[in-house]
Amino acid sequence: MNRRQTLRHDKTRLPHIWLMTDLRLGDDLLPAIKRLRCGSGVIFRHYDLAAPDRKALFGRVRRLCRQRGHILLLAGDQRTAQRWHADGYHARADARRSKHMVHSAPVHNRRELAQARRFGADMILLSPVFTTASHPGARPLGRTAFMALAEQCAGMAVIALGGMTQRSAATLDKRRIHGWAAIDAFKL
């Protein structure tokens, strides 16, 4: 069984800390990845880049992730993630479900949770827990609603997202979440 299959079938081996990338990281992207504890996770987004630029930057991120032992997911479809040699993909749904790739899905409510379960997501990013710069004006779930949704996620690793820091993650019930993800918490 390869590393991807192991992660997919043993969700306890998925990283507990994840960096979500986007243009806000700017020149701090690669240094932020270097600052992550070895064996963390990176979800590469950078949707705003033209396809060739996005692929080139992904290649640089992939090399650094391999050096640091990080898991790297590509936000987008599974086929592209396979072609770009990612460890998995981050998308709402993909009917092809590979047994070789980790599938994470964004979840903001019960409907999206049901969809993630139907499409066999290994991991969900449940958000926004708190107020976040990524979605100004969006109403956060708050601890109570977040934990109620997390409780319904049996079989999937739950990653808290939205206004997260190491300190805020420590306030959440570790029995219901696997870890946390952020952008700004990893910026200098």
Side-chain angles (χ1 to χ4, degrees):
M1 192 178 288
N2 67 31
R3 178 173 95 145
R4 290 178 190 161
Q5 286 174 298
T6 301
L7 290 168
R8 181 132 209 284
H9 297 287
D10 182 4
K11 293 169 189 67
T12 62
R13 295 188 57 178
L14 288 167
H16 297 283
I17 298 172
W18 290 83
L19 168 66
M20 303 288 289
T21 78
D22 72 10
L23 292 177
R24 286 186 308 166
L25 285 166
D27 291 338
D28 198 33
L29 173 62
L30 299 179
I33 293 170
K34 289 178 184 176
R35 285 191 301 274
L36 288 171
R37 181 173 55 208
C38 288
S40 294
V42 175
I43 297 178
F44 183 86
R45 297 184 313 163
H46 281 75
Y47 304 114
D48 298 331
L49 293 176
D53 296 333
R54 186 175 190 238
K55 185 175 182 179
L57 181 58
F58 180 84
R60 292 175 61 204
V61 167
R62 187 183 66 234
R63 282 187 292 282
L64 182 55
C65 285
R66 295 296 180 259
Q67 291 169 5
R68 305 277 301 152
H70 299 324
I71 300 303
L72 177 61
L73 307 185
L74 175 66
D77 65 279
Q78 177 182 290
R79 182 172 288 147
T80 304
Q82 286 173 319
R83 279 196 325 266
W84 290 12
H85 304 287
D87 296 308
Y89 61 103
H90 179 69
R92 291 197 190 286
D94 195 328
R96 290 181 296 277
R97 280 195 273 174
S98 168
K99 46 185 156 175
H100 304 289
M101 298 195 88
V102 175
H103 173 201
S104 72
V107 171
H108 305 91
N109 54 48
R110 283 189 173 94
R111 181 184 52 77
E112 291 176 357
L113 175 58
Q115 183 181 39
R117 188 179 310 288
R118 188 170 53 253
F119 285 99
D122 303 297
M123 178 176 86
I124 63 158
L125 279 81
L126 186 53
S127 72
V129 182
F130 304 113
T131 302
T132 175
S134 295
H135 302 286
R139 186 171 171 227
L141 292 166
R143 276 186 191 81
T144 303
F146 171 82
M147 294 313 289
L149 272 173
E151 195 170 319
Q152 299 172 32
C153 298
M156 294 181 281
V158 176
I159 304 298
L161 176 64
M164 296 304 300
T165 63
Q166 189 168 357
R167 179 175 285 172
S168 62
T171 69
L172 301 174
D173 186 344
K174 299 294 182 268
R175 294 171 295 174
R176 294 202 177 93
I177 69 164
H178 182 79
W180 61 280
I183 299 170
D184 293 328
F186 300 111
K187 290 169 72 174
L188 276 180

